[in-house]
Amino acid sequence: MSYVKVLENLKKKRIAPIYFIYGSENYFIEKVRTEIIRQVADEHRENLTMYNLEEIPIQEVIQDAETYPFFGERNLIIATNPVFLKSKPDKLTFEHDVETLANYIENPVDYSVVVIIAAYEKIDERKKISKTLKKYAEVANCDPIKEKDIQQWIHNMVEQHDITLDQSVYSIIENELSTNLQILEVELEKLALYAGQGGHITKEIAETLISPTPNSSALRLVDAVIEKNLHRAISIFKELEVMKEDPIALIGLLAFQFRTILSVKLLKQKG
């Protein structure tokens, strides 16, 4: 199940006794985790317990889940780093009793919500415990967005904010922000606040409002140098200094771009 479907169920108060969140996109993981906390333990944070399974055995987590809550209706137990789901588990000073976990997954109590977060690029699907989790738990797949889908995802986010963008603004967002979805969301919220409901964002507005990243600033520096715009080049260079970017690396980037331009020019002359 996609993380979107899990979020929809949570917002409709359809709370599952066990959640299995896996994948390497932290933005999606945090979205689901935050919504589970909001729906289950927002009024009784004393019922929320976090465990790191690199430090605590899973059997202790299950023991906690089987303990009645002191306040409210349910405990919320969140366990991260389930190394036993990896193909080659990390060596620990203790052993995880995954059979205890498997038995609980098949027969969970109704007064606890257990969330297992495996923020890994890959889990071992062949393992019995992985199959059990996927069969009985509410599963949120939080793999990164595929490159071919990122543009549609950005369009959906823009529609949710009820604003419109110049096509060039979509290009800026995709090229400069798509590698970090948390930053992308913050920047879109900023644009939406500026434009207001039904408002429109032009390229000029976007370039003014979107916070510079090292990658985008470095490319803008190259453009400024090529355009022989000294004032803009110096301004961008100072931005990069504040970001602690290595001046030698920037010189290397400029040199690479000029070598590319020269190569294109020579190839053009050769026909």
Side-chain angles (χ1 to χ4, degrees):
M1 186 183 296
S2 73
Y3 86 98
V4 175
K5 184 64 177 176
V6 174
L7 284 174
E8 287 176 358
N9 288 340
L10 283 165
K11 289 173 182 177
K12 292 175 182 177
K13 309 293 184 184
R14 297 172 183 167
I15 310 299
I18 302 169
Y19 289 91
F20 177 40
I21 305 170
Y22 74 97
S24 58
E25 180 50 73
N26 288 327
Y27 171 80
F28 296 149
I29 291 172
E30 190 58 27
K31 279 279 186 184
V32 178
R33 191 186 74 89
T34 300
E35 189 61 28
I36 291 173
I37 292 173
R38 193 174 76 84
Q39 295 293 344
V40 178
D42 201 34
E43 295 180 4
H44 297 284
R45 288 299 177 100
E46 59 272 15
N47 287 349
L48 169 61
T49 309
M50 311 279 287
Y51 289 101
N52 182 348
L53 295 174
E54 292 179 339
E55 300 173 356
I56 302 293
I58 190 64
Q59 52 269 31
E60 288 190 23
V61 176
I62 298 307
Q63 185 178 358
D64 192 7
E66 292 175 334
T67 303
Y68 281 99
F70 290 106
F71 304 96
E73 297 179 2
R74 286 176 290 217
N75 295 312
L76 175 56
I77 314 293
I78 299 178
T80 59
N81 301 319
V83 295
F84 48 81
L85 295 177
K86 293 181 176 181
S87 297
K88 294 182 179 179
D90 302 341
K91 290 184 179 180
L92 303 173
T93 57
F94 55 87
E95 288 191 10
H96 286 292
D97 184 356
V98 293
E99 195 62 36
T100 297
L101 173 61
N103 291 336
Y104 181 86
I105 292 169
E106 293 180 17
N107 296 286
V109 299
D110 59 2
Y111 48 81
S112 291
V113 173
V114 175
V115 183
I116 296 177
I117 301 176
Y120 306 136
E121 288 186 9
K122 192 174 182 180
I123 62 170
D124 192 338
E125 307 272 359
R126 301 166 299 177
K127 289 187 173 182
K128 181 182 176 182
I129 189 62
S130 299
K131 293 176 181 178
T132 303
L133 276 165
K134 287 199 165 186
K135 181 178 179 180
Y136 292 98
E138 180 98 336
V139 180
N141 184 336
C142 295
D143 287 332
I145 297 177
K146 292 181 174 62
E147 190 173 341
K148 65 182 179 65
D149 297 327
I150 187 67
Q151 194 172 76
Q152 184 58 51
W153 190 84
I154 294 170
H155 276 273
N156 292 341
M157 289 282 288
V158 170
E159 287 179 4
Q160 288 175 25
H161 287 295
D162 193 18
I163 59 174
T164 55
L165 312 178
D166 280 353
Q167 190 57 44
S168 57
V169 179
Y170 280 107
S171 298
I172 291 171
I173 291 171
E174 185 173 351
N175 293 334
E176 299 183 7
L177 302 174
S178 61
T179 56
N180 190 319
L181 299 184
Q182 287 180 314
I183 293 177
L184 192 157
E185 182 182 47
V186 169
E187 295 300 331
L188 277 178
E189 287 176 354
K190 189 193 300 181
L191 295 178
L193 284 171
Y194 179 88
Q197 189 173 7
H200 182 75
I201 296 293
T202 64
K203 180 181 179 182
E204 291 73 24
I205 294 171
E207 288 180 339
T208 302
L209 292 180
I210 292 176
S211 301
T213 63
N215 183 54
S216 65
S217 295
L219 294 175
R220 288 191 295 116
L221 175 62
V222 171
D223 291 340
V225 172
I226 291 172
E227 294 166 4
K228 299 180 181 179
N229 189 333
L230 181 61
H231 176 76
R232 184 162 178 258
I234 291 172
S235 175
I236 295 169
F237 180 76
K238 287 182 177 178
E239 283 180 10
L240 289 161
E241 277 190 317
V242 171
M243 296 179 198
K244 308 295 184 184
E245 288 297 300
D246 184 1
I248 302 298
L250 296 175
I251 293 171
L253 177 63
L254 288 169
F256 172 78
Q257 293 295 328
F258 283 120
R259 281 198 302 272
T260 303
I261 292 169
L262 178 60
S263 297
V264 171
K265 184 176 181 181
L266 292 174
L267 288 170
K268 189 176 181 181
Q269 287 175 350
K270 289 180 180 179

